[in-house]
C-alpha cells in the first residue's frame, strides 16, 4: 500500500473519481489501447485501481494483482511478467518495456 502526497491524491481523485475525495474501497478501471513494437500489434490492457481516502490500496493489470508499485506525482510504476509498466494518470497514457525486447505506448480511457 503506497501512501500518496496530498497533491498526488488530488490528482488521482480528479482523474479517477472526478470528485474532491476518493470513496473508501472505490475501484477505478482504465482501458488502455497499447501498440507494441516491433510486432506492430495492438492490445487492450485493463488497469484496475482500488483507492481509499489516503492511498492506492491495490493495482491489477488484466485481472492479475501486481506485486508492488510506486507512485510519483501522477505516474504509477509497476511490473508484471517482465513488463515494466508506466501509467501517467494526468495524461492517461500507457508505456511499457519488455526488458528491451519490445516496447508499447498507448492512450487510456476510464471505464
Amino acid at each position: 500500500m503506497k501512501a500518496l502526497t496530498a497533491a498526488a491524491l488530488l490528482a488521482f481523485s480528479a482523474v479517477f473519481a472526478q470528485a474532491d475525495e476518493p470513496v473508501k474501497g472505490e475501484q477505478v478501471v482504465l482501458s488502455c489501447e497499447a501498440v507494441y513494437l516491433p510486432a506492430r500489434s495492438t492490445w487492450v490492457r485493463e488497469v484496475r485501481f482500488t483507492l481509499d481516502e489516503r492511498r492506492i490500496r491495490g493495482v491489477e493489470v488484466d485481472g492479475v494483482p501486481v506485486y508492488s508499485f510506486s507512485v510519483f506525482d501522477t505516474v504509477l510504476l509497476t511490473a508484471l511478467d517482465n513488463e515494466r509498466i508506466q501509467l501517467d494518470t494526468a495524461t492517461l497514457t500507457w508505456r511499457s518495456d519488455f526488458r528491451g525486447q519490445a516496447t508499447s505506448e498507448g492512450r487510456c480511457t476510464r471505464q
Side-chain angles (χ1 to χ4, degrees), residues 52-69:
D52 72 8
E53 293 87 7
R54 296 184 0 194
R55 65 186 74 195
I56 298 173
R57 304 290 293 187
V59 177
E60 294 179 9
V61 177
D62 297 333
V64 179
V66 299
Y67 178 71
S68 67
F69 59 91

Side-chain angles (χ1 to χ4, degrees), residues 9-75:
L9 183 60
L10 287 176
F12 270 86
S13 66
V15 170
F16 295 142
Q18 297 178 358
D20 293 333
E21 291 293 325
V23 177
K24 183 176 183 176
E26 177 183 6
Q27 288 196 345
V28 177
V29 179
L30 297 180
S31 177
C32 301
E33 192 170 296
V35 177
Y36 285 84
L37 297 174
R40 295 184 184 184
S41 60
T42 302
W43 288 24
V44 176
R45 309 296 301 270
E46 180 184 273
V47 181
R48 183 178 303 269
F49 297 89
T50 303
L51 305 172
D52 72 8
E53 293 87 7
R54 296 184 0 194
R55 65 186 74 195
I56 298 173
R57 304 290 293 187
V59 177
E60 294 179 9
V61 177
D62 297 333
V64 179
V66 299
Y67 178 71
S68 67
F69 59 91
S70 298
V71 177
F72 297 101
D73 291 326
T74 60
V75 177

